[in-house]
């Protein structure tokens, strides 16, 4: 057996099932890697050391007793720290929830654990998932494993960095405007945002409820599919969760007769190296049998403006619950009930969160709602309709994931410039579409790039399958050189 | 040009009003920075003025055919215990969450 961090989740699980290794050996191997690399990478807010060792012992026992083993038996999985693991902290990367202990499991977490995944830690994120660089974590920023001076993307930057550096083989993320796909692209791993409602949001701390969706990070498309087979189930605790039987992800390498839509005009003004990388990827899809057609998605240029109205409006109501009364940190200076609210929210929230709550409150406030919120809702309809029309002539739309490779920490100060990092990822959230980020090579400075495949609603399996075909033809997903060895001896 | 009109009026007073609506206290430096950022973002958002969408219906649910009530059987489930729930409360008394007095003594 190869060193276990060089295996995919499927390979490691199979090795465990065949008795080539034990769950305890796997847990120890990954804990050692986290110990060696974790702090320089900033990927984890909490390592679940004692918990995962107990879990591993129990799993070894289960195997010894000949009991049936789950689809993720022995696979080390990291959980974004805005999802509940009962009894563990859920900080959301915020000081507000520094001591908050989850009273129950998120459905997605329970699904993973019921398939015998080993939950190894809680990963870093931009506070309340608001950010594109992980610099908004109230604790410390996560770094990009390809270059520690650069950002891993956000908001699920910790999950992306952990999987890229092989400190876990799968991780969960939540994607409201690109928070899975953009960091996946910047860190050179696979990231999948399913159709809205495919994975239950129960136990995920809400940001923008009409946009939020949980999905996996993985080192291969097949691993991401395995995670989706585990997490994509109906859930009675989330009324927006699709009430459909779980899907079986049959992946094929053949793209014959698949029609790929390219929104040429929307993609004008790409940076030259991103454009070249994208066109090369399209050539490979063609070589695999796909046909390309041009689609009109010009309206997507308004996505970011629409998103920052709708997402902040939803966030302003969702985050009203953090009031210092029932949970979270209460300001010690508060003498009156009003001060409990005003000061706890002042002390507990970081700058970006305050900005977004205020913007969201503004666009919903009397006299402004029609001009901002309702208008944005109408343009969201136009975006949905544009995609529907595009899918009359193609099976999937392809575009880059990010506007560039990972940038240096501290490089972007202008809020709009930061928000525009998500211009290619936000549309899939606005339209509820399944979309995947797959590694597609490297920029001139050796930083990973990704392409994005976006399918019609409910076509999660085809999106994953097209991505698999591309991945098998290219194999760009590599381990960052600094994390190939070491840490495990 | 509705939005531009509003944007021009997004000033310190608007921010002070928002502070109250949001129940977030801010210090002077934060006020300055947030005012600047929000003005910048609203200026960007103003591009939506170009889009003609008067007759378009607003998107209330992103999934086709899902904008309907979802029913389930009203079956009692195991509830979280009071102790577990109160474990996260910043202050408690006699099994309840405690807050500073709301009514002033006469």
């Amino acid at each position: 057996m190869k060193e276990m961090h060089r295996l995919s989740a499927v390979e490691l699980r199979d090795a465990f099932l065949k008795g080539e290794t034990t769950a305890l050996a796997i847990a120890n191997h990954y804990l050692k890697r986290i110990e060696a690399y974790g702090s320089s990478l900033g990927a984890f807010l909490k390592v679940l050391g004692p918990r995962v060792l107990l879990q591993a012992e129990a799993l070894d026992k289960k195997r010894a007793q000949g009991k049936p083993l789950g689809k993720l038996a022995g696979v080390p999985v990291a959980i974004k720290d805005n999802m509940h693991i009962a009894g563990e902290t859920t900080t959301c990367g915020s000081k507000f929830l520094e001591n908050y202990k989850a009273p129950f499991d998120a459905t997605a977490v329970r699904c993973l654990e019921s398939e015998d995944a080993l939950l190894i830690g809680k990963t870093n994120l931009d506070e309340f998932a608001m950010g594109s660089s992980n610099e908004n974590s109230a604790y410390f920023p996560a770094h990009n494993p390809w270059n520690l001076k650069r950002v891993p993307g956000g908001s699920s930057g910790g999950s992306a960095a952990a999987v890229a550096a092989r400190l876990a083989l799968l991780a969960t993320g939540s994607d409201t405007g690109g928070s899975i796909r953009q960091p996946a692209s910047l860190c050179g791993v696979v990231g999948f945002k399913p159709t809205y409602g495919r994975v239950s949001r129960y136990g995920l701390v809400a940001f923008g409820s009409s946009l939020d969706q949980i999905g996996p990070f993985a080192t291969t498309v097949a691993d991401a599919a395995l995670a989706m087979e585990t997490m994509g189930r109906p859930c009675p605790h989330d009324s927006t969760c699709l009430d459909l039987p779980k899907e079986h992800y049959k992946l094929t390498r053949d793209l014959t007769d698949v029609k790929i839509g390219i929104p040429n005009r929307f993609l004008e003004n790409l940076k030259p190296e991103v454009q070249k990388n994208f066109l090369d990827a399209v050539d490979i899809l063609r070589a695999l049998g796909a046909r390309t057609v041009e689609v009109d998605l010009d309206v997507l240029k308004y996505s970011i403006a629409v998103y920052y109205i709708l997402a902040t409006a939803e966030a302003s109501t969702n985050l009203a619950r953090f009031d210092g009364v029932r949970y979270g940190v209460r300001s010690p200076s508060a003498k009156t009930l009003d001060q409990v609210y005003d000061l706890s929210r002042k002390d507990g929230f970081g700058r970006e969160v305050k900005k977004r709550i205020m913007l969201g409150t503004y666009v919903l406030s009397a006299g402004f709602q029609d001009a901002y919120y309702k208008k944005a809702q109408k343009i969201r309809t136009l975006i949905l309709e544009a995609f529907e029309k595009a899918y009359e002539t193609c099976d999937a739309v392809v575009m880059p994931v990010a506007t560039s490779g990972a940038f240096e920490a501290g490089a972007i100060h202008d809020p709009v410039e930061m928000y525009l990092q998500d211009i290619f990822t936000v549309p899939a959230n606005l339209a509820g579409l399944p979309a995947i980020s797959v590694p597609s090579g490297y920029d001139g400075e050796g930083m990973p790039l990704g392409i994005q495949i976006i399918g019609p609603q409910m076509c999660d399996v085809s999106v994953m399958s097209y991505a698999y075909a591309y991945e098998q033809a290219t194999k760009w997903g590599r381990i960052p050189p600094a994390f190939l060895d070491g840490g495990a001896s | 040009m509705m939005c531009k009109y509003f944007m021009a009026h997004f000033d310190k007073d608007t921010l002070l009003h928002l502070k109250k609506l949001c129940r977030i206290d801010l210090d002077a430096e934060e006020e300055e920075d947030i005012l600047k950022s929000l003005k910048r973002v609203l200026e960007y958002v103003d591009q939506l003025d170009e889009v003609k969408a008067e007759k378009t219906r607003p998107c209330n649910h992103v999934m086709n055919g899902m904008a309907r009530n979802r029913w389930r059987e009203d079956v009692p489930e195991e509830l979280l215990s009071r102790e577990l729930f109160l474990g996260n409360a910043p202050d408690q008394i006699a099994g309840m969450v405690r807050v500073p007095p709301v009514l002033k003594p006469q």
Side-chain angles (χ1 to χ4, degrees):
Chain A
M1 192 177 83
K2 281 194 278 189
E3 279 182 288
M4 49 178 97
H5 61 273
R6 295 180 185 233
L7 301 177
S8 71
V10 172
E11 289 167 339
L12 183 60
R13 177 208 50 196
D14 290 347
F16 172 72
L17 294 180
K18 279 189 233 150
E20 290 169 21
T21 185
T22 65
L24 203 56
I26 295 171
N28 276 317
H29 181 85
Y30 279 88
L31 287 174
K32 273 184 193 156
R33 284 184 70 76
I34 293 172
E35 202 185 319
Y37 298 124
S39 57
S40 63
L41 208 52
F44 286 91
L45 289 176
K46 187 170 186 191
V47 183
L48 302 174
R51 188 186 192 279
V52 76
L53 290 173
L54 282 176
Q55 221 192 337
E57 268 175 42
L59 183 56
D60 283 332
K61 210 171 188 181
K62 194 172 169 184
R63 188 178 63 176
Q65 290 167 344
K67 290 185 181 164
L69 298 169
K71 281 182 181 170
L72 292 171
V75 176
V77 181
I79 305 294
K80 186 176 181 180
D81 202 21
N82 60 354
M83 291 170 209
H84 288 348
I85 301 178
E88 301 297 335
T89 48
T90 303
T91 69
C92 292
S94 178
K95 291 285 178 194
F96 210 113
L97 295 177
E98 207 168 8
N99 305 312
Y100 179 80
K101 274 215 170 73
F104 58 90
D105 277 330
T107 300
V109 168
R110 193 162 279 186
C111 289
L112 293 166
E113 210 162 19
S114 71
E115 294 290 347
D116 294 324
L118 300 174
L119 305 184
I120 198 135
K122 304 289 300 279
T123 55
N124 205 353
L125 67 157
D126 286 298
E127 185 175 1
F128 288 106
M130 297 179 184
S132 309
S133 67
N134 225 281
E135 292 166 292
N136 294 336
S137 167
Y139 297 93
F140 44 82
H143 304 283
N144 193 307
W146 291 87
N147 179 339
L148 295 178
K149 287 186 183 143
R150 304 212 176 194
V151 302
S155 66
S156 319
S159 286
V163 171
R166 275 42 170 195
L167 307 186
L169 285 182
L170 288 174
T172 60
S174 58
D175 192 314
T176 308
S179 284
I180 293 174
R181 290 158 288 152
Q182 184 255 18
S185 175
L186 268 50
C187 291
V189 294
V190 174
F192 180 60
K193 182 202 93 74
T195 294
Y196 179 77
R198 178 73 70 192
V199 178
S200 167
R201 293 179 293 114
Y202 182 67
L204 165 73
V205 178
F207 164 11
S209 302
S210 80
L211 304 152
D212 294 341
Q213 184 52 203
I214 292 175
F217 287 91
T219 64
T220 67
V221 175
D223 284 0
L226 181 66
M228 279 310 299
E229 282 186 0
T230 307
M231 296 193 294
R233 296 180 192 184
C235 168
H237 296 116
D238 173 1
S239 66
T240 62
C241 187
L242 298 172
D243 195 13
L244 298 168
K246 64 178 177 176
E247 299 200 282
H248 294 284
Y249 284 79
K250 247 187 95 184
L251 307 176
T252 71
R253 293 177 192 208
D254 188 13
L255 293 183
T256 310
D257 292 333
V258 173
K259 282 183 273 204
I260 299 290
I262 302 183
N264 279 325
R265 276 194 308 272
F266 174 58
L267 297 179
E268 274 172 7
N269 305 322
L270 287 178
K271 282 188 183 153
E273 60 184 347
V274 172
Q275 187 178 35
K276 183 180 180 310
N277 182 272
F278 173 66
L279 294 177
D280 288 350
V282 170
D283 281 344
I284 289 165
L285 294 171
R286 278 202 202 98
L288 292 167
R291 281 191 289 138
T292 50
V293 293
E294 176 157 2
V295 289
D296 174 3
L297 290 172
D298 296 1
V299 70
L300 297 189
K301 70 176 175 185
Y302 300 111
S303 301
I304 292 293
V306 168
Y307 176 81
Y308 276 91
I309 291 172
L310 298 180
T312 58
E314 294 181 21
S316 73
T317 54
N318 273 327
L319 272 66
R321 68 183 57 137
F322 300 105
D323 56 8
V325 173
R326 293 151 301 158
Y327 41 72
V329 170
R330 183 181 294 180
S331 169
S333 350
K335 299 284 184 288
T336 66
L337 186 60
D338 280 345
Q339 286 177 347
V340 167
Y341 304 141
D342 296 346
L343 299 178
S344 302
R345 287 162 71 80
K346 174 185 194 284
D347 298 349
F349 290 140
R351 188 72 53 98
E352 182 63 25
V353 176
K354 287 174 184 163
K355 278 181 197 170
R356 294 201 197 188
I357 291 174
M358 297 188 110
L359 180 60
T361 304
Y362 181 67
V363 299
L364 285 175
S365 61
F368 302 95
Q369 205 187 68
D370 283 352
Y372 288 112
Y373 184 70
K374 288 251 171 71
K375 178 92 192 242
Q377 272 187 312
K378 288 178 175 185
I379 302 173
R380 187 176 188 181
T381 297
L382 295 178
I383 289 171
L384 266 162
E385 288 171 354
F387 271 115
E388 273 168 21
K389 203 162 162 237
Y391 290 128
E392 285 169 11
T393 60
C394 71
D395 301 302
V397 169
V398 180
M399 56 176 97
V401 184
T403 52
S404 69
F407 48 92
E408 285 205 1
I412 299 182
H413 298 289
D414 175 35
V416 172
E417 192 188 342
M418 187 62 100
Y419 296 171
L420 283 168
Q421 297 300 313
D422 297 332
I423 180 77
F424 300 132
T425 49
V426 156
N429 299 83
L430 290 173
L433 309 173
I436 195 165
S437 168
V438 201
S440 61
Y442 302 86
D443 69 11
E445 288 163 322
M447 301 306 290
L449 296 171
I451 59 151
Q452 184 180 203
I453 302 170
I454 308 172
Q457 288 183 354
M458 320 298 257
C459 294
D460 304 46
V461 173
S462 358
V463 165
M464 196 78 87
S465 192
Y466 305 154
Y468 179 75
Y470 174 79
E471 174 199 54
Q472 293 303 305
T474 53
K475 306 252 184 198
W476 284 115
R478 293 172 191 158
I479 305 179
F483 298 88
L484 270 170
D485 304 300
S489 53
Chain B
M1 294 314 234
M2 291 273 285
C3 295
K4 285 215 166 68
Y5 169 81
F6 291 133
M7 213 285 296
H9 288 76
F10 193 95
D11 56 16
K12 191 77 177 274
D13 286 343
T14 322
L15 191 78
L16 297 181
H17 178 56
L18 278 179
K19 250 169 74 169
K20 280 192 202 142
L21 291 179
C22 300
R23 310 303 313 237
I24 298 178
D25 197 20
L26 300 173
D27 57 38
E29 188 271 326
E30 278 180 311
E31 274 176 16
E32 191 94 344
D33 176 52
I34 291 178
L35 182 63
K36 206 175 111 199
S37 282
L38 294 193
K39 280 183 128 168
R40 169 85 179 98
V41 175
L42 286 169
E43 196 181 273
Y44 176 77
V45 161
D46 266 353
Q47 61 174 283
L48 296 186
D49 283 351
E50 298 163 21
V51 187
K52 299 234 176 316
E54 289 74 22
K55 288 183 184 156
T56 308
R57 67 182 165 82
C59 172
N60 291 318
H61 200 302
V62 68
M63 298 301 288
N64 281 329
M66 294 281 289
R68 58 183 166 82
N69 285 324
R70 286 276 293 276
W71 304 102
R72 62 175 164 80
E73 290 306 310
D74 188 17
V75 186
E77 288 190 28
E78 212 176 300
L79 297 174
L80 298 181
S81 73
R82 178 179 282 223
E83 291 72 32
L84 191 64
F85 182 80
L86 284 172
N88 277 314
D91 195 8
Q92 53 172 295
I93 183 168
M96 290 175 280
V97 171
R98 177 156 71 180
V99 293
V102 180
L103 299 175
K104 291 191 180 90
Q106 296 224 314

